[in-house]
Amino acid sequence: MIYLFIFKTRTLFFKIFTPCLSIREVEMRGVLAMMLLSCLVYPIAFCATDDGLFRVQVRKMKFDENNRLAARLETKEGEALRASIRKYSLLGGKRDQSSDGDIVTLKNYMDAQYFGEIAIGTPPQKFTVIFDTGSSNLWIPSSKCYFSVPCFFHSKYKSSQSSTYKKNGKPAEIHYGTGAISGFFSQDSVKVGDLTVQNQEFIEATREPSVTFLVAKFDGILGLGFQEISVGNSTPLWYNMIKQGLVKEPVFSFWLNRKTEEEEGGEIVFGGTDPKHFKGEHTYVPVTRKGYWQFDMGEILIGGSPTGYCAGKCSAIADSGTSLLAGPTTVITMINQAIGASGVVSQECKAVVQQYGQTLIDLLTGEVQPKRVCSQIGLCTFDGTRGVSMGIESIVDEKSSRSSGSHDAMCSTCEMAVVWMQNLLWQNQTRDSIMNNINELCERLPSLMGESAVDCGSISKMPTVSFTIGGKVFDLSPKEYILKLGEGAAAQCISGFTALDVPPPRGPLWILGDVFMGRYHTIFDYGKLRVGFAKAA
């Protein structure tokens, strides 16, 4: 069993990873990413302890107002995220070994940035990486990266200096909403803590676009997902750890330290768990689809009241590489309304409600199946299981001159309104009250980049938001789902819930990122194909 210790820096980084090709979006209007160049390198302290652990500690970086520059630059790329989503289907015990301390910028959206260290080659060349359960490839910058500015600010792998390097040369490309990293495959030994994986295939990146990679505190990403989403069908490092007999159990676990005043950011354990970092027993759910660590999730509750959205069940993934908790716009908007988060007014939403609101209520109270309501008023068609945009064939309606994109928006907005109205009808609200609430929900739709702000002074009055997993309810208190930036009068508070609509067949999909994993210690059991959650200690 090997323990890896995560340490935090105050850089903020949010990513949503989307595709069958392990496509990742690095985005967030509120993301703080531009750090002073003098802070790019951290002093590292090594300390061996009596329990056999070898820890790597990193100082925590303070919040820097200059980071907002990168945040604003990133907002220009919001359409890239939506384009990428459309293009791709989303896919205890005694410590036996010591650790060289590696943990990554597991993005902590306003809490911290988690990162750790690995080494590649002989002699070892060190890199900071994200240990990311939402992807499956290992990539780091290459010494052959000549024309991308981000490469000049990060450690680069030099194959000529490694005696264990083996040439591969197969081209590789991983797409992100903000661009793509590209390069070629190589093979070498990779050291994670005291574990050395032999002949590991990885990507040498020769192109890294966007401001995000320029200012990030990590050099690369180490994917811990399944081989099914690995670019080039490359064998993930975790698979080789098991195959080469480096771990006693085919299990790894995450503990993320959400105490911002502490420099220790958390711990990854390969081969088992550390009982000191969780309370009680884990609740396990089976992996339902290999690729991401995907499982079925039950009802979502706001202030103890069910929303009805996941009454049947929803799909979710545990993703250490996403700072926030992402879900369908419909429910995220309901949550943000309940906690008082303010988003951007959606004129499309208000227009649909104004024109069709009363009719929608009539159809719902007339016991028309909710999935068929929007098709009955002509905003969607129905494929037997769900509503589908009228513009699905990309046909232009000559009479109205509406493009398929407009139809898409009208259909989606209608379906959101139906879910909201159904929830309000369950609460026995009056027709006037329902219309007022729906218009307010339209007001709460998040901005294009997904962020919603709240009043820091009202945190204590916000409701608990809960998720049902394996028949057990997992609560998130306001202090756990609100991310606070700065102190005093200058402090800003951001909702930890962001909207992401992943289309079928992979979606709808909930992404339980660091907001959730910080509250609940998470076990990824590869041997039994299951994920477990317990209260973090």
Side-chain angles (χ1 to χ4, degrees), residues 99-161:
S99 170
D100 199 314
D102 22 315
I103 274 55
V104 191
T105 46
L106 301 178
K107 300 129 216 192
N108 231 352
Y109 176 39
M110 306 312 173
D111 194 286
Q113 185 182 58
Y114 297 105
F115 67 91
E117 196 172 77
I118 66 170
I120 302 178
T122 308
Q125 301 174 39
K126 293 184 177 181
F127 302 92
T128 56
V129 295
I130 294 173
F131 286 84
D132 177 23
T133 58
S135 66
S136 300
N137 290 89
L138 168 60
W139 70 263
I140 44 87
S142 172
S143 60
K144 297 177 177 63
C145 182
Y146 304 119
F147 302 110
S148 290
V149 174
C151 288
F152 292 95
F153 293 90
H154 294 92
S155 299
K156 295 185 287 293
Y157 172 73
K158 303 176 180 65
S159 59
S160 61
Q161 296 182 10

Side-chain angles (χ1 to χ4, degrees), residues 25-43:
E25 164 59 18
V26 181
E27 57 94 35
M28 206 63 200
R29 187 195 274 285
V31 175
L32 307 177
M34 183 74 75
M35 291 297 171
L36 296 176
L37 294 181
S38 60
C39 298
L40 284 171
V41 179
Y42 297 92

Side-chain angles (χ1 to χ4, degrees), residues 137 170 185 201 227-228 230-236:
N137 290 89
K170 182 174 62 176
F185 282 100
E201 195 172 52
Q227 190 167 1
E228 278 77 358
S230 175
V231 169
N233 198 36
S234 178
T235 302

Side-chain angles (χ1 to χ4, degrees), residues 390-462:
M390 292 289 286
I392 196 71
E393 301 295 338
S394 299
I395 297 174
V396 175
D397 183 342
E398 295 179 357
K399 294 182 180 179
S400 64
S401 296
R402 288 185 180 273
S403 68
S404 63
S406 178
H407 280 297
D408 287 342
M410 297 285 279
C411 177
S412 298
T413 301
C414 178
E415 291 188 329
M416 279 195 296
V418 166
V419 172
W420 296 339
M421 287 177 176
Q422 187 179 26
N423 179 264
L424 295 171
L425 285 169
W426 286 345
Q427 298 176 32
N428 294 317
Q429 294 201 23
T430 65
R431 185 177 291 257
D432 287 343
S433 177
I434 289 174
M435 291 298 291
N436 289 334
N437 272 281
I438 296 302
N439 276 303
E440 185 177 347
L441 282 166
C442 287
E443 295 273 359
R444 300 292 184 182
L445 283 171
S447 68
L448 294 178
M449 295 306 292
E451 122 252 14
S452 297
V454 299
D455 178 7
C456 293
S458 63
I459 292 178
S460 62
K461 302 175 183 177
M462 295 177 187

Side-chain angles (χ1 to χ4, degrees), residues 217-485:
K217 296 303 158 193
F218 62 91
D219 299 315
I221 294 176
L222 194 161
L224 293 170
F226 291 89
Q227 190 167 1
E228 278 77 358
I229 59 170
S230 175
V231 169
N233 198 36
S234 178
T235 302
L237 181 137
W238 168 242
Y239 282 43
N240 282 330
M241 276 189 182
I242 299 171
K243 185 178 180 180
Q244 296 176 22
L246 300 178
V247 291
K248 287 188 174 180
E249 297 181 72
V251 171
F252 62 90
S253 56
F254 274 78
W255 166 64
L256 303 182
N257 186 4
R258 303 295 278 182
K259 297 178 181 178
T260 57
E261 69 278 7
E262 298 180 4
E263 288 192 9
E264 182 181 12
E267 172 187 273
I268 302 175
V269 181
F270 287 106
T273 61
D274 185 347
K276 293 195 308 183
H277 293 310
F278 61 87
K279 302 174 184 176
E281 299 294 324
H282 285 76
T283 297
Y284 287 95
V285 285
V287 171
T288 56
R289 184 171 183 174
K290 291 170 68 176
Y292 303 101
W293 288 86
Q294 183 171 326
F295 54 90
D296 286 338
M297 184 173 73
E299 183 61 279
I300 298 165
L301 303 94
I302 303 174
S305 299
T307 61
Y309 188 83
C310 288
K313 72 178 179 181
C314 290
S315 294
I317 65 172
D319 185 0
S320 61
T322 294
S323 298
L324 303 185
L325 196 156
T329 302
T330 300
V331 187
I332 294 298
T333 303
M334 293 171 66
I335 293 173
N336 281 334
Q337 182 204 28
I339 68 178
S342 300
V344 175
V345 176
S346 170
Q347 296 301 324
E348 190 83 53
C349 179
K350 286 196 168 186
V352 169
V353 172
Q354 182 178 2
Q355 185 172 354
Y356 300 102
Q358 298 292 346
T359 304
L360 294 177
I361 295 175
D362 289 339
L363 291 172
L364 286 171
T365 54
E367 299 186 354
V368 174
Q369 290 185 25
K371 291 180 180 180
R372 296 181 178 270
V373 167
C374 294
S375 62
Q376 288 211 11
I377 63 173
L379 292 183
C380 302
T381 58
F382 188 71
D383 69 357
T385 59
R386 62 188 178 88
V388 180
S389 167
M390 292 289 286
I392 196 71
E393 301 295 338
S394 299
I395 297 174
V396 175
D397 183 342
E398 295 179 357
K399 294 182 180 179
S400 64
S401 296
R402 288 185 180 273
S403 68
S404 63
S406 178
H407 280 297
D408 287 342
M410 297 285 279
C411 177
S412 298
T413 301
C414 178
E415 291 188 329
M416 279 195 296
V418 166
V419 172
W420 296 339
M421 287 177 176
Q422 187 179 26
N423 179 264
L424 295 171
L425 285 169
W426 286 345
Q427 298 176 32
N428 294 317
Q429 294 201 23
T430 65
R431 185 177 291 257
D432 287 343
S433 177
I434 289 174
M435 291 298 291
N436 289 334
N437 272 281
I438 296 302
N439 276 303
E440 185 177 347
L441 282 166
C442 287
E443 295 273 359
R444 300 292 184 182
L445 283 171
S447 68
L448 294 178
M449 295 306 292
E451 122 252 14
S452 297
V454 299
D455 178 7
C456 293
S458 63
I459 292 178
S460 62
K461 302 175 183 177
M462 295 177 187
T464 297
V465 178
S466 310
F467 300 84
T468 306
I469 301 172
K472 181 177 180 180
V473 176
F474 291 80
D475 296 328
L476 288 178
S477 70
K479 288 185 178 180
E480 292 163 346
Y481 64 69
I482 296 298
L483 304 170
K484 189 174 182 180
L485 295 176

Side-chain angles (χ1 to χ4, degrees), residues 7-10 42 58-63 111-112 259-264:
F7 300 92
K8 297 188 285 193
T9 148
R10 292 297 295 176
Y42 297 92
V58 186
R59 296 183 184 277
K60 183 169 56 178
M61 180 179 290
K62 300 296 182 182
F63 166 74
D111 194 286
K259 297 178 181 178
T260 57
E261 69 278 7
E262 298 180 4
E263 288 192 9
E264 182 181 12

